[in-house]
Amino acid sequence: MDVTSTCWTLLVSFIFSIMSADQENITAESGQNVTLTCRAPNIKNDLVEWSRADLGDEYVLFYRDDLSVSDHQHQSFKNRVDLQDRQMKDGDVSLVLMNVTINDTGTYKCRVPLDKTHSSNPISIIFLSVVDPPAPPGGATEDGDGVGRRHHGRLIASVLCLVVIIVVFFKIFHHYCDPL
């Protein structure tokens, strides 16, 4: 196998690994209950952390010894979150977020630390986007096309971002792997 073929194989493998990582995008309407899925096979304790980067040291949910621990839980999540299955059967540590609002938009991370003193890498990373419910049929929204236009804008931005990533990695691999 020549250098160019190897580089192409590495590039394609890298792109597929990015796209198949345990990451998920969820869109929900305000007022809905949302389940953020996370599975931790071989869970050895009953310690689960759900966090969001923009909350600093506060948690969305910290679950230990069969209880939700409210110390260091962000105020906006108190009485609105719970595990889907408190027995964590089959490693299910999915989070149920009730009555979502626009302020719940963000990137959520699920961790299952090895013990009470050590953190771990996220098992699941989920980007939740909360939008206002669509206007009733025949009703106009603030900006004319409203929600639909925002969705198209996000889709276009996502596709452009993916294209930029592919082009950048192509150039890097081409630069380092070009046999001259």
Side-chain angles (χ1 to χ4, degrees):
M1 184 184 277
D2 66 357
V3 174
T4 304
S5 297
T6 303
C7 289
W8 275 107
T9 301
L10 288 172
L11 175 63
V12 169
S13 298
F14 178 76
I15 290 170
F16 281 123
S17 71
I18 288 174
M19 296 174 76
S20 65
D22 217 6
Q23 297 184 17
E24 185 178 357
N25 293 323
I26 296 175
T27 301
E29 292 179 5
S30 292
Q32 289 182 327
N33 293 344
V34 176
T35 301
L36 306 181
T37 305
C38 183
R39 295 214 178 270
N42 303 323
I43 189 168
K44 304 220 183 315
N45 60 47
D46 61 348
L47 186 62
V48 178
E49 298 174 6
W50 275 93
S51 62
R52 206 171 78 188
D54 62 325
L55 300 179
D57 292 339
E58 294 183 301
Y59 291 101
V60 173
L61 176 77
F62 188 83
Y63 192 81
R64 177 178 60 205
D65 301 327
D66 297 323
L67 295 170
S68 178
V69 180
S70 60
D71 296 348
H72 305 291
Q73 183 181 33
H74 192 272
Q75 184 65 34
S76 68
F77 294 102
K78 290 190 180 195
N79 302 315
R80 291 195 320 122
V81 294
D82 202 355
L83 290 180
Q84 180 171 310
D85 179 6
R86 288 183 174 215
Q87 280 74 48
M88 298 182 252
K89 291 181 195 136
D90 301 321
D92 185 0
V93 292
S94 300
L95 178 78
V96 177
L97 179 54
M98 294 167 266
N99 194 24
V100 295
T101 69
I102 301 289
N103 295 329
D104 292 323
T105 296
T107 302
Y108 292 77
K109 294 180 182 180
C110 168
R111 287 186 172 87
V112 178
L114 300 174
D115 59 46
K116 293 175 172 92
T117 60
H118 295 91
S119 189
S120 64
N121 291 330
I123 295 171
S124 184
I125 301 172
I126 300 172
F127 178 74
L128 173 64
S129 176
V130 181
V131 297
D132 288 326
T141 57
E142 293 177 19
D143 57 357
D145 195 16
V147 175
R149 185 174 293 160
R150 284 196 300 266
H151 283 295
H152 289 296
R154 286 182 187 148
L155 177 62
I156 290 169
S158 297
V159 169
L160 288 175
C161 184
L162 182 60
V163 168
V164 168
I165 289 170
I166 291 171
V167 168
V168 167
F169 281 106
F170 172 76
K171 288 185 181 256
I172 289 170
F173 274 94
H174 184 70
H175 175 75
Y176 286 106
C177 297
D178 193 10
L180 299 178

